[in-house]
Amino acid sequence: MGVYSYKVQVFVVAGLFIITTGLLFAIFHIEQLVYREQLQLFQDNNFLEKLIVPGGLSIFAGEFFLQFFKLHIGALFVTVLFVTIIIIFLFRIFSFVTNKNTAIFFSLLPAAGYALLLLDRFFYFSGLVAFLLSIIGIDIYIREKRGWRKFILGLLLVVFTYWFAGGAVFTFSFSVFLLEIVSADSCSSFRGKLFFGVSYIVLSFLLPALLRNILFYENVLQSFVSEAFYRIPVFLPVELILALLSVPLLIFIAAFFESANISFPQRMVYFLSLFMIILFGGTFYCLNNTNEERIRKLDNLVFNKKWNEIAIHARKQGVPDSKEASVAVNLSLAKEGRLTTDFFKIQGLQPVFVIPYERKGMTPFMASEPYYYLGLNNFARMMAMETLESTVDAKLPVRAVKRISETFLISGNDKLAQKYLGLLSETMFYSTWAKRHLSQIRGNESKTEFLSQELNEIRSRLPDEDFYYNEKHFEVALLYLLRANKDNRMAYEYLMMHYLLNKNFDSFINFLSIYSLFKYEETPLIFQEAKAYIQTLTSDDVPLLDVVNISKNVEEKFNMYISEFRKGGNKRPERMKDLFGDTYWYYLHFGRNDS
């Protein structure tokens, strides 16, 4: 096969795999990639601090590139870029052992493995960086031909790979050991090459064992693998071990094929590569957490304040079975003033308005969001602090740090606001916002003048009185908010939905007395349906209900509901759900059950 022909083959096979990888991440996993950026706070001034621990360079580089995951296109571009570079260096390495037909096929296998590892939310992106550093080291090593000079280079590369890439040193040492054994270098004896290879492996084990007792006192796993790979420092999954050893294993297989004169014709390479890519795509789809992707999409939209997009997405695709997801959609509807109209129209939406505090796992970012926008500033800060303190790896999540700084700005605590703004001022995407507030604080400007419209609006919603908060009685907090600011439409939406969902008609009617203050363009649909139902419970005139105008469509639909119910609909909930599942009346008689 000519040079031009094999280059075309390499380009086609590698290109098809890279495009497939990009499409898979873009379609099935992009929101989870974007979410990764929120879990860290990268500061470029701690480079030396990172370098003093094994794997530190990989960690620093991984966190640096992870900043770009804030943007969807950035997350996709960086991920595909690293996969592409990995394939290029793997191809160079395998070409040293076998023919280029086999080399391109084998190059895809470790790249696919590391791409699949990114589906694990506990696997760090810095692990991908560490692996790349190790195979770059292998490529440097195989280019050197001279005996003892090569040996010294190998020893140095073991040291540098361990210090810069942590556990990826075993990828390097086992790979160069096998490359020494299978190489046809006539300048070195077999015993010499065996000595070289064994020395690298021994040194790769000896380094962490010695340094653990001399320089640092981490657990054994951290000493040998480093913190560059997995978010849980006391656990090393089998998948990661296989990924680290995949290159040495494939070098062994490639060398065996070469020694046995087993080669793949061009068509066979295309067929095997296509089969592998299909298998990779199927595995990616099966391992990807689709429900988590849907939750993260809503969560990311809340972070970026895309309220209308959340509502549109929920109406089209429903809401996944998750407290976070329901809180996100309910918040977006309340922000848009549509909670009391659209709640029952969205498939899967549950009556969860705040996330209960639990002493297990990481407190989700979403826990602080409803409190923040309602004006319950202290509770928003408390939840953000819980998130910050409950991360698995004890890293500062930038989203929580930003929320804490916002709450201190709102409450006027400049000293503590500066502490958290100082952290954000060292980042790439949040520094402009943080530095602007820092300069304004130092300039003693009036809060009303320098706070954004959003922060000033939330500041105006703060309750005037201190009170004991009980999450089982969320409505009490809402009452305090409305007492402090009768323009707080979000609090009113949440309060009225709370009363209606709990069938507390007396309180619902009572708070219709302030309905006119919120200047609804049209009467909320659920208010209309509630009035229609309440009127069947009493023959007395209820003047407060007069502010709710029932449309002709609602009146006709309610008459149909009564007719169907009297015909035996109370014994046929499925039929009633098909006809009236998006109404308040169905909820009153049958409950909310979208399963």
Side-chain angles (χ1 to χ4, degrees):
M1 183 171 63
V3 174
Y4 176 77
S5 180
Y6 100 74
K7 285 185 176 180
V8 170
Q9 178 180 308
V10 169
F11 180 79
V12 170
V13 171
L16 183 60
F17 177 81
I18 291 164
I19 291 170
T20 302
T21 302
L23 289 173
L24 288 170
F25 276 107
I27 297 170
F28 300 113
H29 199 77
I30 188 66
E31 300 297 339
Q32 293 172 73
L33 287 180
V34 171
Y35 179 72
R36 283 172 175 261
E37 182 270 340
Q38 301 164 28
L39 295 170
Q40 67 159 35
L41 192 151
F42 175 80
Q43 295 175 294
D44 56 12
N45 60 357
N46 64 355
F47 177 67
L48 294 177
E49 182 183 328
K50 296 287 187 185
L51 280 186
I52 64 174
V53 296
L57 181 63
S58 298
I59 296 170
F60 183 86
E63 292 180 353
F64 171 78
F65 284 105
L66 206 60
Q67 291 181 105
F68 299 97
F69 281 43
K70 180 174 173 60
L71 308 172
H72 287 70
I73 188 65
L76 194 60
F77 177 77
V78 171
T79 303
V80 172
L81 175 65
F82 269 82
V83 171
T84 303
I85 297 172
I86 284 172
I87 291 173
I88 291 171
F89 278 96
L90 287 173
F91 177 69
R92 287 164 61 93
I93 293 167
F94 288 118
S95 296
F96 182 78
V97 182
T98 186
N99 63 76
K100 290 179 169 54
N101 276 1
T102 310
I104 184 58
F105 172 69
F106 279 12
S107 301
L108 304 183
L109 299 176
Y114 275 91
L116 291 174
L117 276 176
L118 285 176
L119 300 182
D120 184 346
R121 62 196 176 100
F122 294 115
F123 178 72
Y124 283 128
F125 187 77
S126 56
L128 206 65
V129 178
F131 176 70
L132 178 57
L133 290 177
S134 71
I135 60 175
I136 290 174
I138 297 169
D139 184 67
I140 293 171
Y141 180 81
I142 61 178
R143 303 302 158 189
E144 178 58 52
K145 302 297 183 184
R146 285 173 282 186
W148 287 103
R149 180 172 173 176
K150 185 176 187 179
F151 179 60
I152 294 171
L153 174 64
L155 294 176
L156 289 173
L157 284 172
V158 169
V159 174
F160 282 113
T161 304
Y162 170 68
W163 202 258
F164 293 154
V169 69
F170 298 110
T171 301
F172 175 85
S173 61
F174 280 97
S175 295
V176 296
F177 167 76
L178 288 168
L179 287 168
E180 283 292 343
I181 298 300
V182 303
S183 70
D185 184 6
S186 59
C187 298
S188 303
S189 65
F190 178 78
R191 291 177 65 180
K193 292 189 289 186
L194 184 63
F195 172 73
F196 284 7
V198 171
S199 298
Y200 303 146
I201 293 176
V202 170
L203 182 59
S204 65
F205 280 96
L206 198 59
L207 268 175
L210 289 174
L211 293 176
R212 178 171 180 263
N213 294 306
I214 297 172
L215 295 181
F216 48 86
Y217 300 92
E218 305 291 348
N219 64 53
V220 175
L221 191 59
Q222 285 177 299
S223 300
F224 280 81
V225 181
S226 83
E227 298 179 4
F229 290 92
Y230 214 63
R231 198 176 296 276
I232 304 174
V234 295
F235 181 67
L236 184 66
V238 175
E239 297 86 351
L240 180 53
I241 297 173
L242 292 174
L244 288 171
L245 298 179
S246 61
V247 175
L249 178 62
L250 289 170
I251 287 173
F252 176 79
I253 295 172
F256 172 77
F257 281 6
E258 191 68 18
S259 64
N261 292 320
I262 300 173
S263 61
F264 297 144
Q266 188 173 8
R267 288 186 179 181
M268 179 63 74
V269 172
Y270 281 129
F271 174 77
L272 288 175
S273 300
L274 182 61
F275 175 76
M276 193 281 292
I277 291 170
I278 292 172
L279 183 63
F280 166 63
T283 306
F284 190 104
Y285 179 78
C286 293
L287 293 179
N288 183 56
N289 191 332
T290 305
N291 195 58
E292 180 70 11
E293 179 71 3
R294 295 178 65 198
I295 296 168
R296 295 283 73 84
K297 180 174 180 64
L298 294 169
D299 190 17
N300 292 334
L301 287 172
V302 168
F303 183 43
N304 291 297
K305 304 168 188 176
K306 306 288 187 181
W307 310 115
N308 191 46
E309 286 186 36
I310 296 172
I312 293 171
H313 177 79
R315 291 187 193 103
K316 286 182 178 178
Q317 299 189 21
V319 181
D321 184 15
S322 159
K323 291 178 181 177
E324 284 183 74
S326 287
V327 167
V329 175
N330 285 325
L331 174 60
S332 72
L333 294 177
K335 284 286 292 180
E336 296 283 300
R338 302 285 301 176
L339 182 63
T340 50
T341 292
D342 293 344
F343 180 81
F344 293 109
K345 294 186 175 298
I346 297 177
Q347 183 75 15
L349 183 58
Q350 298 298 320
V352 183
F353 302 127
V354 292
I355 295 177
Y357 174 67
E358 296 180 0
R359 289 182 174 272
K360 60 179 181 179
M362 174 180 151
T363 303
F365 294 122
M366 190 58 63
S368 75
E369 300 290 351
Y371 296 117
Y372 174 73
Y373 288 104
L374 278 165
L376 294 167
N377 199 50
N378 290 340
F379 302 117
R381 184 188 307 127
M382 181 186 76
M383 286 301 184
M385 287 282 196
E386 286 295 330
T387 300
L388 190 145
E389 294 174 2
S390 61
T391 54
V392 176
D393 52 8
K395 290 188 177 181
L396 293 176
V398 68
R399 180 170 170 181
V401 172
K402 185 171 187 288
R403 174 50 43 80
I404 293 168
S405 64
E406 288 170 331
T407 59
F408 280 128
L409 285 170
I410 290 168
S411 62
N413 192 329
D414 291 348
K415 185 176 181 180
L416 287 173
Q418 287 184 74
K419 173 184 175 181
Y420 290 94
L421 289 170
L423 294 172
L424 293 171
S425 66
E426 302 296 333
T427 63
M428 180 180 293
F429 289 101
Y430 305 91
S431 60
T432 302
W433 179 86
K435 287 177 180 177
R436 177 169 61 85
H437 283 92
L438 281 171
S439 64
Q440 290 164 336
I441 288 173
R442 291 161 184 164
N444 295 318
E445 294 184 30
S446 165
K447 290 286 181 296
T448 308
E449 291 178 5
F450 81 74
L451 289 182
S452 65
Q453 181 180 350
E454 177 188 284
L455 295 181
N456 269 319
E457 184 180 339
I458 293 172
R459 197 172 186 221
S460 70
R461 295 174 180 173
L462 299 180
D464 294 330
E465 307 158 78
D466 293 328
F467 61 92
Y468 173 75
Y469 175 68
N470 184 343
E471 65 184 26
K472 294 181 180 178
H473 296 284
F474 180 50
E475 74 280 7
V476 174
L478 299 173
L479 290 170
Y480 275 100
L481 288 171
L482 284 171
R483 194 148 82 178
N485 184 350
K486 288 186 170 58
D487 294 329
N488 194 336
R489 182 162 162 174
M490 274 187 66
Y492 186 70
E493 289 261 310
Y494 276 123
L495 182 67
M496 296 301 263
M497 277 304 304
H498 172 84
Y499 287 145
L500 290 173
L501 290 169
N502 287 280
K503 305 173 187 178
N504 186 344
F505 299 125
D506 290 338
S507 295
F508 166 72
I509 292 169
N510 184 39
F511 276 88
L512 285 174
S513 60
I514 61 172
Y515 169 78
S516 59
L517 297 176
F518 300 99
K519 300 176 182 178
Y520 283 91
E521 293 180 3
E522 56 184 35
T523 305
L525 179 61
I526 298 173
F527 286 14
Q528 297 180 50
E529 293 173 348
K531 177 181 178 179
Y533 179 78
I534 291 168
Q535 287 177 333
T536 67
L537 303 179
T538 178
S539 57
D540 297 336
D541 184 39
V542 185
L544 286 174
L545 284 173
D546 293 342
V547 297
V548 177
N549 299 312
I550 301 177
S551 69
K552 187 175 181 180
N553 288 338
V554 171
E555 189 175 341
E556 290 175 354
K557 192 169 186 177
F558 186 55
N559 290 331
M560 290 172 57
Y561 183 88
I562 293 172
S563 176
E564 286 291 334
F565 195 86
R566 287 174 175 170
K567 290 177 183 177
N570 59 324
K571 298 178 181 178
R572 293 182 294 173
E574 287 303 318
R575 173 171 172 76
M576 295 298 285
K577 182 177 180 180
D578 292 340
L579 295 173
F580 308 104
D582 61 349
T583 66
Y584 179 56
W585 314 311
Y586 177 85
Y587 170 82
L588 287 171
H589 291 114
F590 302 102
R592 180 77 164 165
N593 184 5
D594 290 298
S595 60

